[in-house]
Amino acid sequence: MDNSDSIVIDPELAERAESDDLHTLGVEEEYLLVDAVEPRAVEAVEEVFDQLPAETRDSVQHEFMRSQIEVASPPQLELDALAKALRELRATVADAAEAAGARLLAIGTGPATGGHIRVVDNPRYHRMRERFGDLSPGAGMCGTHVHVSIPDDETGVQVLNHLRPWLPIFQAATVNSPLFKGRDTSYASWRFMLWERWPTVGPAPYLRSFQDYETMIADLEASGAMLDEGMLYWYARLSARYPTVEIRMGDVMPTADDAVLLAALARALVATLVKEVRAGVPAPDVPHPLLTAAHWRAAHDGLEGLNIDMATREPRPAWKLMRQLFDYVRPELERHGDLETATTLMGRLRAHGTGAARQRAILAQGGSVADVVDRFARLTRGGRPEK
């Protein structure tokens, strides 16, 4: 929950991005720690940290609960470099978890019933628990955050306005938490439904300027609804640590490939919208209640059902909207050198389904929650995808 240290971008990388008008990107992923044999979450984060190699520790952080751990990739320009960094981080932290008697699991929230899990012994987390009570029950909630560089804060605020209608379909692509306390919740992302209870979670409002953005943060802090800027849990926001737009409403995804696809599409979308902002194209006028409904639909259906076409305000198959997004950002995928990789990964997502669909497929074939955890632990650390 936004307690990581800053990762500084390489100056040469930043110079190249600026000279070619390209956007860097980075990914943060939160994982669950589960028992080595049973599917229940375990308080193992300190033991896992003890097993991490020294060269990895700057990229790994604590999360809110003692059964969670977070990684942050270095900012990258090349998609292949991002994929390599994520795979190495996943494998390294998975090795450390196994050495500590646990397993690393890329899943949105704890799928099995377990014992009481405490928050990490951190003053900020204790203040959050005292202020907001038990809003994060169970093992914790694990998400994916994608950072895409922006030229300046004023442009970033306008990009946030343009992003609003696209984020429900991004969310639908990330759903990976249908199970909670040993049962299917009927939602593709139960993590999202739990997370919605925090007072500052929701679509970003339409903002006229960066000054509006700063005023809103100050007002929310004064209201007591958040302790600091790190608790601004809008689905997209300006990062408090990096010169980026941060897209952050999705579940953590089962594989590094899934995360790389999301990152490629996020960068291409932000790059497309930066051009629209520069051209003076106004942001779409999307009613807040309709956005809220579309995000609820994304959490319920994922990509396997329906979502709302924001242009027509009518329900459409979510996969058609995903294809529409891909086609919309195709020029920027190509300009950044990502089109071939993104096309391949999009095909894999279509073939295998979202994380929620994959979990339910295991259960439909007679598997158990323990089988889901076993399979997803292998996928997390780089196991072969389903055929």
Side-chain angles (χ1 to χ4, degrees):
M1 287 197 174
D2 305 290
N3 193 44
S4 58
D5 296 327
S6 295
I7 296 178
V8 179
I9 187 170
D10 179 85
E12 292 185 10
L13 189 71
E15 183 178 350
R16 181 185 163 200
E18 184 175 0
S19 64
D20 294 339
D21 194 24
L22 298 174
H23 298 261
T24 59
L25 76 169
V27 173
E28 297 170 343
E29 293 190 307
E30 300 157 353
Y31 311 118
L32 192 68
L33 298 168
V34 297
D35 183 77
V37 178
E38 299 178 11
R40 60 183 174 83
V42 291
E43 292 188 351
V45 66
E46 300 301 341
E47 292 80 1
V48 174
F49 262 92
D50 288 343
Q51 299 296 328
L52 287 172
E55 63 270 18
T56 303
R57 294 191 177 205
D58 285 346
S59 298
V60 185
Q61 298 90 33
H62 291 82
E63 243 299 311
F64 191 56
M65 308 298 289
R66 299 188 190 200
S67 56
Q68 294 176 279
I69 197 164
E70 180 181 3
V71 303
S73 76
Q76 303 288 354
L77 194 54
E78 305 293 340
L79 200 61
D80 286 348
L82 175 68
K84 182 174 183 290
L86 283 177
R87 291 185 187 115
E88 289 178 351
L89 282 169
R90 281 176 172 235
T92 300
V93 180
D95 286 343
E98 289 171 15
R103 288 178 289 173
L104 192 72
L105 196 61
I107 203 164
T109 194
T113 300
H116 175 70
I117 302 292
R118 295 169 293 171
V119 300
V120 166
D121 189 14
N122 173 294
R124 179 173 181 265
Y125 292 159
H126 286 308
R127 290 198 306 273
M128 289 171 65
R129 192 60 181 260
E130 290 167 5
R131 171 74 60 83
F132 300 102
D134 193 16
L135 288 185
S136 184
M141 299 173 284
C142 301
T144 299
H145 305 164
V146 180
H147 290 261
V148 182
S149 65
I150 50 172
D152 57 77
D153 289 331
E154 287 294 348
T155 301
V157 167
Q158 299 309 316
V159 167
L160 293 181
N161 291 336
H162 283 261
L163 272 172
R164 297 166 79 240
W166 293 104
L167 293 184
I169 201 62
F170 264 92
Q171 181 189 340
T174 73
V175 292
N176 188 29
S177 52
L179 308 179
F180 188 66
K181 294 186 177 180
R183 63 183 181 84
D184 191 320
T185 63
S186 84
Y187 281 81
S189 175
W190 189 244
R191 166 198 163 273
F192 182 82
M193 303 309 296
L194 295 174
W195 188 46
E196 280 281 279
R197 301 187 303 179
W198 288 84
T200 56
V201 171
Y206 183 89
L207 297 159
R208 292 170 296 178
S209 65
F210 181 58
Q211 183 177 351
D212 270 3
Y213 185 90
E214 291 187 305
T215 298
M216 181 68 72
I217 289 171
D219 289 345
L220 288 171
E221 288 186 32
S223 76
M226 62 187 201
L227 297 180
D228 50 43
E229 189 173 350
M231 288 190 67
L232 187 70
Y233 297 145
W234 293 343
Y235 304 150
R237 67 182 187 184
L238 304 185
S239 172
R241 302 190 303 273
Y242 316 129
T244 63
V245 162
E246 182 183 2
I247 295 173
R248 59 186 325 279
M249 71 289 140
D251 289 358
V252 65
M253 303 186 79
T255 70
D257 279 352
D258 295 323
V260 168
L261 173 61
L262 183 71
L265 293 174
R267 171 163 68 177
L269 180 57
V270 169
T272 300
L273 298 179
V274 165
K275 288 188 172 180
E276 291 196 355
V277 170
R278 288 171 175 168
V281 177
D285 181 15
V286 182
H288 192 88
L290 188 63
L291 281 177
T292 300
H295 280 286
W296 172 84
R297 193 81 199 226
H300 188 272
D301 289 20
L303 286 179
E304 285 70 36
L306 300 175
N307 209 288
I308 301 171
D309 185 328
M310 291 297 171
T312 66
R313 303 191 181 186
E314 295 177 353
R316 289 183 62 197
W319 261 109
K320 288 189 176 180
L321 296 174
M322 187 71 173
R323 186 75 241 180
Q324 179 178 302
L325 167 65
F326 192 95
D327 291 342
Y328 176 63
V329 304
R330 180 186 293 270
E332 287 298 326
L333 286 171
E334 188 165 15
R335 192 172 74 87
H336 281 81
D338 299 344
L339 181 57
E340 182 177 354
T341 298
T343 300
T344 298
L345 296 180
M346 184 83 157
R348 289 181 189 172
L349 180 61
R350 186 71 169 112
H352 303 317
T354 60
R358 296 180 216 184
Q359 290 184 50
R360 285 170 167 157
I362 293 169
L363 298 180
Q365 294 164 7
S368 64
V369 173
D371 293 324
V372 170
V373 170
D374 290 346
R375 179 60 181 155
F376 272 62
R378 293 194 294 273
L379 289 176
T380 300
R381 68 169 301 129
R384 294 178 63 84
E386 304 91 335
K387 296 187 177 180

